[in-house]
PDB file of all heavy atoms in Angstrom:
ATOM      1  N   THR A 136     -29.749  23.531 -15.530  1.00 87.00           N
ATOM      2  CA  THR A 136     -28.550  23.465 -14.686  1.00 87.00           C
ATOM      3  C   THR A 136     -28.305  24.842 -14.094  1.00 87.00           C
ATOM      4  O   THR A 136     -28.299  25.843 -14.810  1.00 87.00           O
ATOM      5  CB  THR A 136     -27.333  23.023 -15.524  1.00 87.00           C
ATOM      6  OG1 THR A 136     -27.592  21.736 -16.095  1.00 87.00           O
ATOM      7  CG2 THR A 136     -26.090  22.942 -14.658  1.00 87.00           C
ATOM      8  N   HIS A 137     -28.115  24.907 -12.788  1.00 91.00           N
ATOM      9  CA  HIS A 137     -27.962  26.180 -12.082  1.00 91.00           C
ATOM     10  C   HIS A 137     -26.481  26.428 -11.781  1.00 91.00           C
ATOM     11  O   HIS A 137     -25.781  25.538 -11.291  1.00 91.00           O
ATOM     12  CB  HIS A 137     -28.749  26.166 -10.766  1.00 91.00           C
ATOM     13  CG  HIS A 137     -30.219  25.942 -10.968  1.00 91.00           C
ATOM     14  ND1 HIS A 137     -31.138  26.969 -10.945  1.00 91.00           N
ATOM     15  CD2 HIS A 137     -30.932  24.803 -11.203  1.00 91.00           C
ATOM     16  CE1 HIS A 137     -32.352  26.492 -11.143  1.00 91.00           C
ATOM     17  NE2 HIS A 137     -32.253  25.177 -11.310  1.00 91.00           N
ATOM     18  N   VAL A 138     -26.020  27.636 -12.087  1.00 93.00           N
ATOM     19  CA  VAL A 138     -24.629  28.009 -11.845  1.00 93.00           C
ATOM     20  C   VAL A 138     -24.597  29.250 -10.965  1.00 93.00           C
ATOM     21  O   VAL A 138     -25.175  30.287 -11.303  1.00 93.00           O
ATOM     22  CB  VAL A 138     -23.873  28.283 -13.158  1.00 93.00           C
ATOM     23  CG1 VAL A 138     -22.423  28.661 -12.863  1.00 93.00           C
ATOM     24  CG2 VAL A 138     -23.936  27.064 -14.080  1.00 93.00           C
ATOM     25  N   HIS A 139     -23.948  29.131  -9.822  1.00 93.00           N
ATOM     26  CA  HIS A 139     -23.747  30.255  -8.908  1.00 93.00           C
ATOM     27  C   HIS A 139     -22.277  30.657  -8.999  1.00 93.00           C
ATOM     28  O   HIS A 139     -21.395  29.812  -8.900  1.00 93.00           O
ATOM     29  CB  HIS A 139     -24.088  29.824  -7.480  1.00 93.00           C
ATOM     30  CG  HIS A 139     -23.887  30.887  -6.438  1.00 93.00           C
ATOM     31  ND1 HIS A 139     -22.636  31.234  -5.962  1.00 93.00           N
ATOM     32  CD2 HIS A 139     -24.779  31.668  -5.780  1.00 93.00           C
ATOM     33  CE1 HIS A 139     -22.772  32.182  -5.047  1.00 93.00           C
ATOM     34  NE2 HIS A 139     -24.043  32.468  -4.923  1.00 93.00           N
ATOM     35  N   TYR A 140     -22.013  31.935  -9.238  1.00 91.00           N
ATOM     36  CA  TYR A 140     -20.613  32.321  -9.342  1.00 91.00           C
ATOM     37  C   TYR A 140     -20.309  33.554  -8.502  1.00 91.00           C
ATOM     38  O   TYR A 140     -21.164  34.401  -8.256  1.00 91.00           O
ATOM     39  CB  TYR A 140     -20.205  32.550 -10.808  1.00 91.00           C
ATOM     40  CG  TYR A 140     -20.823  33.749 -11.474  1.00 91.00           C
ATOM     41  CD1 TYR A 140     -20.190  34.987 -11.445  1.00 91.00           C
ATOM     42  CD2 TYR A 140     -22.036  33.645 -12.158  1.00 91.00           C
ATOM     43  CE1 TYR A 140     -20.745  36.089 -12.062  1.00 91.00           C
ATOM     44  CE2 TYR A 140     -22.599  34.747 -12.784  1.00 91.00           C
ATOM     45  CZ  TYR A 140     -21.949  35.965 -12.730  1.00 91.00           C
ATOM     46  OH  TYR A 140     -22.512  37.056 -13.336  1.00 91.00           O
ATOM     47  N   ARG A 141     -19.075  33.586  -8.050  1.00 93.00           N
ATOM     48  CA  ARG A 141     -18.544  34.733  -7.295  1.00 93.00           C
ATOM     49  C   ARG A 141     -17.206  35.122  -7.902  1.00 93.00           C
ATOM     50  O   ARG A 141     -16.502  34.284  -8.449  1.00 93.00           O
ATOM     51  CB  ARG A 141     -18.360  34.362  -5.821  1.00 93.00           C
ATOM     52  CG  ARG A 141     -19.641  33.960  -5.118  1.00 93.00           C
ATOM     53  CD  ARG A 141     -19.378  33.456  -3.716  1.00 93.00           C
ATOM     54  NE  ARG A 141     -18.603  32.219  -3.738  1.00 93.00           N
ATOM     55  CZ  ARG A 141     -18.201  31.583  -2.634  1.00 93.00           C
ATOM     56  NH1 ARG A 141     -18.490  32.092  -1.443  1.00 93.00           N
ATOM     57  NH2 ARG A 141     -17.522  30.464  -2.709  1.00 93.00           N
ATOM     58  N   ILE A 142     -16.864  36.403  -7.778  1.00 95.00           N
ATOM     59  CA  ILE A 142     -15.631  36.902  -8.362  1.00 95.00           C
ATOM     60  C   ILE A 142     -14.736  37.474  -7.264  1.00 95.00           C
ATOM     61  O   ILE A 142     -15.172  38.296  -6.452  1.00 95.00           O
ATOM     62  CB  ILE A 142     -15.920  37.986  -9.424  1.00 95.00           C
ATOM     63  CG1 ILE A 142     -16.803  37.400 -10.538  1.00 95.00           C
ATOM     64  CG2 ILE A 142     -14.623  38.534 -10.010  1.00 95.00           C
ATOM     65  CD1 ILE A 142     -17.210  38.410 -11.586  1.00 95.00           C
ATOM     66  N   PHE A 143     -13.480  37.022  -7.244  1.00 96.00           N
ATOM     67  CA  PHE A 143     -12.508  37.495  -6.260  1.00 96.00           C
ATOM     68  C   PHE A 143     -11.338  38.160  -6.980  1.00 96.00           C
ATOM     69  O   PHE A 143     -10.755  37.560  -7.892  1.00 96.00           O
ATOM     70  CB  PHE A 143     -11.970  36.323  -5.427  1.00 96.00           C
ATOM     71  CG  PHE A 143     -13.011  35.597  -4.627  1.00 96.00           C
ATOM     72  CD1 PHE A 143     -13.690  34.517  -5.172  1.00 96.00           C
ATOM     73  CD2 PHE A 143     -13.323  36.000  -3.339  1.00 96.00           C
ATOM     74  CE1 PHE A 143     -14.647  33.835  -4.441  1.00 96.00           C
ATOM     75  CE2 PHE A 143     -14.285  35.329  -2.596  1.00 96.00           C
ATOM     76  CZ  PHE A 143     -14.951  34.243  -3.150  1.00 96.00           C
TER      77      PHE A 143
END
Side-chain angles (χ1 to χ4, degrees):
T136 301
H137 300 260
V138 180
H139 179 283
Y140 69 91
R141 299 174 295 178
I142 301 177
F143 298 90

